[in-house]
Amino acid sequence: MENPIRINVFKNGDHSKSCVLSLSKSSSFSELMETMACKLDISTVQIMYNKQGARVLDVDVLRDDDTVYVGSSLMELFAGCNGLARTRNQDFITLNIGGVHVTTTKDTLTKKEPGSMLATMFSQSEDNQWFSRVDQTGAYLIDRPAKYFLPILNYLRHGQLIIDESVNPAGVLEEAKFFGITSIQPRLEQLVQLNVKPTDYTPLTRHQISLSLMTTPSNCELRCQGLNFSGADLSKLDLRNINFKYANLSDTNLAGANLSHVNFERADLSNSCLDGANMMAVKLVCAQLEGASMKGCNFEDPSGSRANMEGANLKEVNLEGSHMAGVNLRVATLKNSNLRNCDLRGAILAGSNLENCDLSGCDLLDANLRGANLEGCAFAMMLSALHMSQTLKS
């Protein structure tokens, strides 16, 4: 005798009316339908579907622990299934963004940026509920331009920022700020900067100067007088013989660059990084270098040409470990600068302001310190002794 099988039966997809039936394979299909109608307390069962959506027409296709959905008509069954779909998809919502309807999920709006305004508006938490107005279709009204909001919505969906060419990134940035989408704002700010139309005063880039370098022989003077390179990355480039007189190079990265015989007269190099740069015979007369980092620079030219930094502003500059033999620093300002372990043999420091400078470990052999201000200087571990004839002011 065959063992009966057990099937789970739901009425019209409604879990409130359900039962578990024991079914013998000898039962007819019509007998099964009558039994289901009786157990579920409905008038009749005319149609049956399994949970995969296929219609059941024979008892023999049923297996132990199968789940089926029944109804008195096809329309009634579909109505019940739609009810289940609505239950499963209850987190889908529709937004009316400036007249444009968009459907998304609450998870999309709340998971990636939990601290944003959108997350607050559609949070499940009773403490954070936002009672937004809806239009006649039930869509949530948000008075913002859809053109700029949609790139943000797509970002929340898949994590990629994609903006059509016709959309201004500045508009998308404003929407990101308005809704508190913080993770995307740095990237949008970069795009806004790239989208700004250049003017005569827009800083030049590494790419632009590289193109000029490739078409100019290294022994020829490239004329960059008065140009703006502020914030540019010019590290490790061969910039020999370039005229940067009066140029703006503040906050520029020149680390490891070859700056031999470059003219920086009265140029602004404040807060720039020149660590490890080759600065043989460089001209920095009256240049602005306050706050710059110049660690390990080489100013010594084997041919005997001397770097000229007369009258330069070198306040709070880090020159530690630089080779500066013979450098002209006459009347330069080096207040609070770090010159530890610098080679200053034969350097001209007459009339310079060295107040509170750290000269520990320096080699000042034959250096000219006449009239220099040495108040508060540190002279620990000097490689050569200072003679009274070297300095008259202390």
Side-chain angles (χ1 to χ4, degrees):
M1 183 176 179
E2 292 185 354
N3 293 325
I5 61 172
R6 184 181 65 177
I7 59 173
N8 307 297
V9 184
F10 294 92
K11 174 185 178 292
N12 299 334
D14 183 358
H15 288 213
S16 65
K17 285 196 174 184
S18 61
C19 67
V20 179
L21 291 180
S22 177
L23 174 65
S24 171
K25 285 292 186 178
S26 61
S27 301
S28 67
F29 190 71
S30 59
E31 289 175 342
L32 174 61
M33 299 289 242
E34 289 176 4
T35 303
M36 289 179 174
C38 179
K39 294 292 185 181
L40 297 176
D41 193 23
I42 57 178
S43 59
T44 180
V45 171
Q46 298 289 337
I47 193 163
M48 184 191 326
Y49 277 81
N50 63 16
K51 62 181 180 181
Q52 285 77 28
R55 186 173 179 178
V56 179
L57 297 173
D58 195 331
V59 173
D60 292 336
V61 301
L62 294 173
R63 298 289 180 268
D64 191 41
D65 208 29
D66 271 357
T67 298
V68 295
Y69 301 91
V70 299
S72 57
S73 66
L74 186 62
M75 292 293 291
E76 183 180 341
L77 183 63
F78 280 174
C81 290
N82 286 337
L84 284 178
R86 283 193 296 272
T87 300
R88 288 193 297 269
N89 298 326
Q90 61 183 341
D91 284 343
F92 274 90
I93 57 175
T94 300
L95 308 177
N96 183 340
I97 312 293
V100 177
H101 285 74
V102 179
T103 300
T104 186
T105 66
K106 287 185 178 180
D107 280 354
T108 296
L109 299 174
T110 59
K111 295 295 185 183
K112 191 172 184 64
E113 291 276 351
S116 68
M117 182 190 297
L118 288 172
T120 302
M121 290 172 67
F122 299 101
S123 172
Q124 298 289 348
S125 171
E126 293 183 0
D127 296 333
N128 292 328
Q129 282 188 334
W130 186 297
F131 298 97
S132 178
R133 298 183 63 182
V134 297
D135 63 13
Q136 62 272 19
T137 67
Y140 291 92
L141 288 165
I142 298 179
D143 185 22
R144 306 298 295 181
K147 179 179 181 180
Y148 301 126
F149 177 82
L150 291 179
I152 293 176
L153 180 59
N154 287 329
Y155 169 75
L156 294 175
R157 284 169 169 159
H158 49 61
Q160 299 296 320
L161 176 61
I162 302 173
I163 303 177
D164 291 341
E165 292 183 359
S166 60
V167 178
N168 191 333
V172 182
L173 176 59
E174 288 304 312
E175 295 307 301
K177 290 179 178 178
F178 179 82
F179 287 107
I181 312 298
T182 56
S183 62
I184 200 177
Q185 291 181 26
R187 175 59 178 152
L188 285 168
E189 289 170 352
Q190 292 177 354
L191 291 176
V192 170
Q193 290 298 320
L194 292 173
N195 205 41
V196 174
K197 293 182 178 179
T199 67
D200 291 341
Y201 300 99
T202 300
L204 298 176
T205 64
R206 180 186 183 92
H207 176 70
Q208 290 169 311
I209 196 168
S210 295
L211 291 177
S212 298
L213 290 171
M214 287 188 290
T215 57
T216 306
S218 60
N219 58 350
C220 293
E221 181 182 286
L222 185 61
R223 294 183 295 276
C224 295
Q225 181 169 325
L227 297 182
N228 185 3
F229 296 93
S230 178
D233 181 6
L234 306 179
S235 60
K236 300 182 180 179
L237 291 180
D238 186 354
L239 303 173
R240 285 176 290 171
N241 302 303
I242 294 181
N243 179 12
F244 283 116
K245 187 176 182 179
Y246 297 112
N248 180 3
L249 292 134
S250 58
D251 300 295
T252 301
N253 183 5
L254 289 158
N258 188 349
L259 303 173
S260 300
H261 302 276
V262 169
N263 183 3
F264 285 117
E265 184 178 349
R266 300 185 185 275
D268 184 359
L269 288 146
S270 55
N271 301 307
S272 292
C273 178
L274 296 98
D275 294 344
N278 189 351
M279 306 187 72
M280 293 189 301
V282 70
K283 188 175 183 180
L284 283 159
V285 176
C286 297
Q288 172 63 257
L289 289 137
E290 185 170 352
S293 179
M294 303 175 73
K295 294 184 291 184
C297 288
N298 179 33
F299 293 85
E300 294 185 43
D301 187 353
S303 66
S305 300
R306 295 191 174 192
N308 189 354
M309 304 169 74
E310 185 172 346
N313 180 6
L314 294 155
K315 286 182 181 178
E316 300 181 359
V317 169
N318 188 352
L319 283 156
E320 184 172 354
S322 292
H323 300 280
M324 306 177 69
V327 169
N328 180 7
L329 285 162
R330 189 187 303 274
V331 299
T333 301
L334 292 110
K335 186 176 180 180
N336 300 318
S337 292
N338 178 7
L339 283 85
R340 292 175 63 91
N341 303 315
C342 284
D343 182 357
L344 289 162
R345 290 172 299 161
I348 301 173
L349 291 155
S352 60
N353 184 359
L354 295 165
E355 184 179 349
N356 297 324
C357 273
D358 187 352
L359 293 164
S360 302
C362 284
D363 188 349
L364 288 162
L365 181 66
D366 297 326
N368 182 355
L369 291 162
R370 294 181 182 276
N373 180 7
L374 299 172
E375 183 179 352
C377 283
F379 292 104
M381 297 181 292
M382 298 290 292
L383 297 184
S384 57
L386 286 178
H387 298 284
M388 290 299 295
S389 59
Q390 287 182 264
T391 176
L392 299 177
K393 183 178 180 181
S394 61

